Amino acid sequence: MTRSFPQLSDIFRHGFDTVIDVRSPAEFAEDHVPGAINLPVLDNEERARVGTIYKQQSPFLARKLGAALVFRNAAAHIEGPLSHHEGGWRPLVYCWRGGQRSGSFGWMLQQIGWRAEVVEGGYRSFRRLVTQAMYDQPLPHRLVQLGGHTGTAKTALLPRLAARGVQVVDLEGLARHRGSLLGSMPGGQPSQKAFETALAQAFDGLDPARPVLVEAESSKIGQILLPPALWEAMKLAPWIEVTAPLEARAAYLNAAYDDILSDAPALKDKLSVLRFHRGHALVDSWLGQIDAGDRLGLCASLAADHYDPAYEKSMRAIAPALLARVETPALDAPALDRLADRIAAVVQTSVI
């Protein structure tokens, strides 16, 4: 049996017990249906081998080898990670285009007695729905951007605002990057496709009748591009701007970027690329602060001399409509809680 999913929300709310992606580990790593497990019927090397035979020798030989490998690997999955399932188990299976890999595995599961179904069109049909949502159609949600100079704890405010009932999408969290020169995070970023899948899922779970708060970003977070539907909605969105004293911002950056600041050689390498933009004297002073262990001084200078000019130039260019400018004298946990109360009140009472 095959199952079609006309809408993206249909596959996000599929109702099956388990979603099984039988593509190769490399295909799965690039992107997959949220929550799917990877039980490849051809691993990376096997898939490449079958493809080479298909192109260079004959489709028949490739299919014959592929069938042997698929059923051998499928048997190992049934004897191993699937062996504990009872008779009523309902798995949903997909491959690249809903063809032989998922069809063969789904058939085998059905013969056992499990109520398996195969995604019609496979991953390609799912990706087509994500592309429609992120590229081809306007975002149905009304956005509010949370802006402010670097170090105003915008990212730390997002979970606090969500806890207060504000609809929030954490773009930097989904992109696994803090959105600046020093923003890289352990583990690296997801693929562009995986980011777009996570983004589509995040928005799918929100009420379009209520505003959605996102942190103000450029069109690129690290190496991830914001897809057109999101970016167009962000350009139209009003802002709430957070302001805080430089000393408080430096203290916050010192804590938030501890992993980067603790790796002096890597930090120097990252800052050295700014010589063309900020001049040798300023960059040399930063390197001197690193050698002296003056992290607070370094954070204050980076904020005042590098990030603030860029932010102010951007603000002059985009001139966003401001719903509110919210000031805070500190950025410690109690201050952020109070700040979140005030921002939530603005979001929840504003007519956008």
Side-chain angles (χ1 to χ4, degrees):
M1 290 181 63
T2 60
R3 174 68 67 94
S4 64
F5 296 92
Q7 305 294 327
L8 194 55
S9 58
D10 295 334
I11 197 164
F12 287 147
R13 298 168 178 79
H14 52 76
F16 285 79
D17 297 326
T18 311
V19 180
I20 303 174
D21 185 324
V22 299
R23 298 176 302 156
S24 68
E27 293 172 291
F28 182 83
E30 183 183 24
D31 186 34
H32 52 267
V33 174
I37 63 172
N38 187 212
L39 297 179
V41 293
L42 293 175
D43 64 25
N44 298 333
E45 182 181 345
E46 291 166 343
R47 179 169 176 263
R49 181 183 169 197
V50 170
T52 299
I53 293 173
Y54 187 95
K55 292 179 180 179
Q56 297 182 1
Q57 297 184 42
S58 83
F60 173 75
L61 291 176
R63 284 194 293 269
K64 185 167 67 171
L65 172 62
L69 293 171
V70 164
F71 282 106
R72 186 181 305 154
N73 292 330
H77 296 323
I78 291 168
E79 291 179 326
L82 303 182
S83 61
H84 65 286
H85 289 295
E86 301 293 338
W89 180 54
R90 294 182 64 238
L92 179 66
V93 183
Y94 71 92
C95 62
W96 169 245
R97 60 175 180 269
Q100 293 179 334
R101 286 185 287 177
S102 59
S104 299
F105 192 58
W107 173 84
M108 181 178 284
L109 298 180
Q110 290 164 3
Q111 298 311 300
I112 293 170
W114 287 321
R115 296 181 291 162
E117 296 187 42
V118 173
V119 176
E120 183 178 325
Y123 168 80
R124 287 200 308 180
S125 65
F126 169 70
R127 176 61 190 171
R128 192 176 300 116
L129 293 173
V130 173
T131 300
Q132 288 175 0
M134 293 289 102
Y135 286 81
D136 301 335
Q137 301 169 352
L139 200 67
H141 302 81
R142 299 168 297 137
L143 303 186
V144 177
Q145 294 207 60
L146 183 64
H149 288 88
T150 295
T152 47
K154 299 180 292 294
T155 301
L157 285 166
L158 296 181
R160 288 175 164 85
L161 289 163
R164 287 159 173 77
V166 176
Q167 295 194 127
V168 169
V169 173
D170 182 359
L171 300 179
E172 293 184 1
L174 296 178
R176 296 206 294 269
H177 196 279
R178 286 167 288 204
S180 68
L181 174 70
L182 305 181
S184 59
M185 298 174 68
Q189 294 190 265
S191 71
Q192 182 70 33
K193 288 181 179 179
F195 171 75
E196 291 167 1
T197 290
L199 191 63
Q201 184 183 33
F203 275 104
D204 183 74
L206 301 178
D207 181 1
R210 297 170 51 219
V212 178
L213 190 80
V214 298
E215 187 173 346
E217 305 285 350
S218 67
S219 61
K220 193 174 183 182
I221 304 176
Q223 297 302 309
I224 295 291
L225 293 171
L226 300 186
L230 173 62
W231 183 237
E232 291 302 316
M234 289 176 68
K235 289 193 291 186
L236 298 174
W239 279 43
I240 297 172
E241 187 177 49
V242 179
T243 66
L246 180 61
E247 295 78 8
R249 292 161 54 204
Y252 174 79
L253 290 171
N254 181 47
Y257 284 74
D258 178 68
D259 56 328
I260 299 294
L261 295 170
S262 298
D263 188 346
L267 180 58
K268 287 182 176 182
D269 288 342
K270 291 179 181 293
L271 295 181
S272 292
V273 304
L274 294 176
R275 289 184 181 278
F276 176 78
H277 298 284
R278 299 302 179 199
H280 292 289
L282 181 57
V283 173
D284 286 340
S285 73
W286 292 338
L287 302 187
Q289 288 172 313
I290 294 171
D291 289 335
D294 183 12
R295 289 178 32 159
L296 281 175
L298 174 64
C299 290
S301 180
L302 284 171
D305 301 320
H306 173 59
Y307 289 114
D308 288 3
Y311 176 80
E312 287 153 12
K313 179 180 179 181
S314 174
M315 289 294 282
R316 288 192 297 270
I318 61 178
L322 280 181
L323 289 175
R325 181 174 285 112
V326 187
E327 299 181 5
T328 178
L331 292 167
D332 55 14
L336 290 178
D337 287 336
R338 293 190 294 270
L339 194 58
D341 289 335
R342 295 164 61 195
I343 294 171
V346 173
V347 175
Q348 292 163 349
T349 60
S350 297
V351 178
I352 302 169

